[in-house]
Amino acid sequence: MTFDHAALFGEDHADPNQYAMHGLASGHVWCAISLGGPTALRRKGDAAVPNEDALCMAECGDRVLLAVADGHFGHAASHDLIERIDLALEARGDQPDPLPRSLDELYALIESCAVAPDTAPPDASGAGHPVDRVSETTLVVAIFDRAARRVWGVSVGDSSAIAVGLDAGVRWLTTATRHYAAPSSPASLSREHFTAFEASLAPGELLAVFTDGVNECEYGSPETSISARHFEALAIRVGRKAETFVEALAELALAGVDGHPGGEDNIAVVAIRVT
């Protein structure tokens, strides 16, 4: 089986109102990342790296991993955690099945990303944040098995995983928490801080994971941002191709909905269609 993977980091994508897309070689898995609009640029504390989001994706045979992270108080935690997950998968790429096959294996992968505090990257907190605040991050990791049509994974913080169907509507697979993670805090990577999820998916559904720059594209205002009815309308309009869905979702998050502004936070999204 061919192993393929990719990771995108906000530090490489800091142009307002622009987004970058990438797809794995199979064409099944697509992602997009964006700073957001000028408001997001002004809102971030670290002017050097205003895009604190990061994402990665991997595919081997019938199984796929999707992950997003949204840094708080700088980009150090989100970028480092996604990079460590991506590198750990790459190191296992010559194995018959490099992706985690159980919750225990996924938790072990996440826990292996911990670093001793004295070897952690310097805190990236910027002006407007207390200098003693260490960078931390949300994280959603979803493992999708195409053959079994099942998804399972873990989350911490307020990033999301959803399933979008033309007939079934939208199902939110994750629940937001006020816990966050950081490689420099090994305790924050323990399973006690994460919430697990699992669901069956129907043919034609889209599985997407994203940061809150999507469902709070008007900053701090989910009621005036992209919601279930917008996801449903988007799926109907663009059809079932993951590439088209990701592109349209990134554009909608930048533009805003129902006359309300968008692009007020960083955006990261990864998606695959259930076949």
Side-chain angles (χ1 to χ4, degrees):
M1 291 185 291
T2 301
F3 172 69
D4 191 15
H5 69 109
L8 274 65
F9 301 94
E11 64 180 350
D12 301 318
H13 303 281
D15 295 324
N17 293 325
Q18 302 295 316
Y19 61 91
M21 289 188 58
H22 184 78
L24 294 184
S26 69
H28 297 305
V29 194
W30 283 85
C31 69
I33 191 168
S34 174
L35 164 72
T39 302
L41 182 64
R42 294 192 299 268
R43 199 179 291 278
K44 297 300 158 180
D46 184 2
V49 186
N51 188 345
E52 298 170 338
D53 285 4
L55 62 86
C56 68
M57 51 189 182
E59 183 175 24
C60 187
D62 282 331
R63 300 197 321 115
V64 177
L65 179 146
L66 318 175
V68 295
D70 176 5
H72 293 181
F73 305 105
H75 69 287
S78 59
H79 285 43
D80 195 31
L81 187 52
I82 288 294
E83 182 177 31
R84 288 175 180 275
I85 291 173
D86 184 58
L87 290 174
L89 294 174
E90 183 180 43
R92 297 159 52 164
D94 58 351
Q95 298 180 13
D97 191 353
L99 303 185
R101 298 194 63 87
S102 67
L103 271 177
D104 285 341
E105 288 188 15
L106 179 54
Y107 282 127
L109 171 64
I110 294 171
E111 290 171 355
S112 74
C113 296
V115 295
D118 60 349
T119 63
D123 175 42
S125 298
H129 295 312
V131 295
D132 60 343
R133 289 302 299 264
V134 175
S135 179
E136 56 192 12
T137 185
T138 71
L139 180 69
V140 174
V141 183
I143 308 288
F144 174 55
D145 187 323
R146 274 191 293 254
R149 294 200 192 115
R150 292 197 65 78
V151 61
W152 54 271
V154 298
S155 69
V156 65
D158 58 1
S159 294
S160 303
I162 64 169
V164 187
L166 298 182
D167 300 318
V170 177
R171 290 181 288 156
W172 232 268
L173 306 179
T174 52
T175 301
T177 71
R178 298 184 66 84
H179 298 297
Y180 299 96
S184 61
S185 173
S188 75
L189 301 183
S190 65
R191 65 178 64 201
E192 291 79 12
H193 285 265
F194 286 79
T195 302
F197 61 91
E198 183 177 6
S200 295
L201 301 179
E205 280 192 299
L206 285 153
L207 170 66
V209 300
F210 51 84
T211 58
D212 67 349
V214 172
N215 59 311
E216 291 190 30
C217 58
E218 183 175 7
Y219 191 83
S221 184
E223 66 277 5
T224 55
S225 298
I226 297 174
S227 63
R229 64 184 177 87
H230 299 108
F231 285 115
E232 292 170 11
L234 200 64
I236 293 171
R237 177 166 65 84
V238 305
R240 292 171 170 169
K241 287 185 65 176
E243 177 184 6
T244 310
F245 178 80
V246 166
E247 182 178 28
L249 183 58
E251 292 178 352
L252 189 62
L254 285 172
V257 295
D258 304 330
H260 299 282
E264 294 197 342
D265 201 354
N266 308 149
I267 299 162
V269 57
V270 193
I272 182 172
R273 181 175 68 88
V274 181
T275 57

